[in-house]
Amino acid sequence: MSSERMRLFALQTVFALNGLGLAVWFPRIPDVKAALGLDVLALAFSLFGLPAGTMLGFLVVGRVSRRLGLKRTCLWGGSIFLLSFIGPALASSALALGLTLFLCGLSIATIEVAMNAKASQTERVLKRRIMTRCHAFWSFGTVTGALIGGAFAQWEVSFLAQQLLLQPVFAALNVVAALRLMPDEPVQDAPAGRFVLPSRALLILCLVPIGALLTEGAMMEWSALLLREHVGASPFATAATFAVFALSMALTRLAGDRLAEAFGPQRVITRSALLMGIAMLGFGLSPGLWLSVPMAALAGLGCGNIYPLTMSVVGQLPGARTERNVATLALIAFTAFLVGPPAIGIMAQLLGLPMALAALAPLGLVPLLLMAPAKPPRTTSG
């Protein structure tokens, strides 16, 4: 394997391990809810800890990456994130669960910005698109993690035993992969402490993936509960359904870079969002797995390329350092994960979880409304 291919594979492995370590948690959410005796609203506000920590982390990750460099930030940020996910398995109350998820969120912010900025940097060095392929590996990681977590749940292995067994292994693999990343580019930045107001084009682009991230978060955090309590599926069947969603995302991301080259990122994003909205309506109101599984697959097809293609466009905008644009996008777009758990929890308490998830369908119109007037520039390969 050539040096270039090895470094690209190392970056894709960092993405995959990030998704893997996160996804083993999703099939265990109903088990944690039952073990702690939580109702849907208490669970929603516990889950709120993860995005709250992530949003706070986005405010400081720029300083961390400037001090350590992107390569070392991927190494330390990714490994600390993976190990931090042992914490939720130790929680003994809703408050403790929320606090441990908050700490996980702080570390997620670091690796989220660092690995995406590294991917954008690598695109410039290689002079070709790789962003959606990197995110495809993240999705392959979530497929694997969901199936592993579902298998542990089906075998009635405790969540704590699962995390103590898996997360140190994932963290060690992240160290090995991060050490093989492409060296950081020499950069010149604005003076320390200088505030630069984001451009109008950047702010509009930052709103484009909010619906996709809300949908993705809903599938991560609520699909298992919906399928177990409202559809009557087994623990492994719920994990497998989420795995179908994640696999569908992964496969469409493998094609995302080529689709963007052929049709332009704007057209790919808007058409994908419409498909995502239709699929979430069907998934939320599905009476059985016979409809839930294909709707999960269609939701993944629609959701998959919206965030990475927006990230790629933002990473190429002129006038600011890449990780600053990436961090701005992540900070604004990830408000979806911040408002998602309590919003869906409140709607679920009032209307039922099926209607709460179906209510996400109109979000498919958001990129169409935003990108038509914005007309972001089409980036091309070098």
Side-chain angles (χ1 to χ4, degrees):
M1 181 182 293
S2 68
S3 175
E4 177 184 301
R5 290 171 65 90
M6 182 189 72
R7 287 169 173 170
L8 180 56
F9 180 71
L11 178 60
Q12 292 166 338
T13 301
V14 169
F15 273 81
L17 288 167
N18 181 264
L20 181 63
L22 182 63
V24 293
W25 150 248
F26 302 143
R28 307 311 301 262
I29 292 176
D31 299 322
V32 172
K33 175 179 178 288
L36 299 182
L38 306 180
D39 61 23
V40 68
L41 198 57
L43 176 64
F45 282 96
S46 294
L47 295 175
F48 177 78
L50 187 67
T54 305
M55 297 295 287
L56 182 61
F58 284 146
L59 299 178
V60 300
V61 67
R63 295 180 183 178
V64 173
S65 63
R66 281 196 301 271
R67 181 178 295 272
L68 297 180
L70 293 176
K71 181 174 178 177
R72 291 174 65 194
T73 305
C74 286
L75 190 157
W76 290 106
S79 300
I80 291 171
F81 155 65
L82 292 164
L83 292 174
S84 73
F85 241 92
I86 297 173
L90 298 169
S92 58
S93 66
L95 178 60
L97 179 61
L99 289 174
T100 55
L101 287 172
F102 177 83
L103 295 176
C104 293
L106 287 174
S107 56
I108 285 176
T110 304
I111 184 60
E112 173 68 24
V113 171
M115 68 185 185
N116 279 291
K118 195 66 181 174
S120 185
Q121 187 183 89
T122 304
E123 282 189 323
R124 288 196 304 274
V125 172
L126 300 181
K127 295 182 173 58
R128 60 187 174 91
R129 291 183 180 273
I130 62 157
M131 183 67 77
T132 66
R133 184 170 289 268
C134 286
H135 280 256
F137 274 76
W138 186 90
S139 295
F140 283 129
T142 62
V143 171
T144 307
L147 292 175
I148 291 173
F152 274 86
Q154 190 74 38
W155 298 332
E156 299 183 352
V157 177
S158 75
F159 183 41
L160 178 59
Q162 170 191 299
Q163 297 299 80
L164 287 173
L165 176 64
L166 297 177
Q167 298 295 0
V169 175
F170 299 158
L173 292 173
N174 181 76
V175 170
V176 173
L179 288 172
R180 288 163 171 77
L181 293 176
M182 183 176 294
D184 292 337
E185 288 180 318
V187 293
Q188 294 182 348
D189 201 7
R194 178 182 171 187
F195 175 74
V196 180
L197 188 68
S199 66
R200 180 176 180 272
L202 176 58
L203 289 175
I204 290 175
L205 284 169
C206 288
L207 298 176
V208 166
I210 284 180
L213 293 176
L214 262 175
T215 298
E216 189 175 347
M219 292 298 292
M220 290 174 179
E221 296 172 336
W222 297 104
S223 63
L225 198 62
L226 175 79
L227 294 173
R228 281 214 214 175
E229 295 189 356
H230 294 271
V231 179
S234 69
F236 189 75
T238 64
T241 303
F242 174 78
V244 167
F245 168 78
L247 180 61
S248 180
M249 286 184 67
L251 294 176
T252 196
R253 284 172 168 177
L254 285 178
D257 294 317
R258 293 180 182 177
L259 289 172
E261 290 293 341
F263 303 106
Q266 176 178 332
R267 184 174 295 180
V268 176
I269 289 169
T270 54
R271 303 305 188 271
S272 297
L274 291 174
L275 177 61
M276 174 191 74
I278 294 169
M280 283 308 295
L281 179 65
F283 182 81
L285 301 180
S286 171
L289 282 175
W290 62 270
L291 185 58
S292 298
V293 173
M295 288 298 104
L298 290 178
L301 285 175
C303 197
N305 282 319
I306 297 173
Y307 182 60
L309 282 181
T310 307
M311 184 71 73
S312 183
V313 173
V314 161
Q316 306 304 323
L317 287 176
R321 188 169 166 172
T322 298
E323 58 263 37
R324 180 175 293 162
N325 282 345
V326 168
T328 302
L329 169 64
L331 177 64
I332 296 175
F334 268 61
T335 56
F337 289 132
L338 190 67
V339 303
I344 293 174
I346 291 169
M347 285 194 295
Q349 192 81 357
L350 296 174
L351 305 174
L353 187 54
M355 285 300 299
L357 295 183
L360 298 175
L363 294 172
L365 297 173
V366 171
L368 186 65
L369 296 174
L370 290 175
M371 298 193 82
K375 294 183 180 179
R378 175 179 173 178
T379 57
T380 59
S381 61

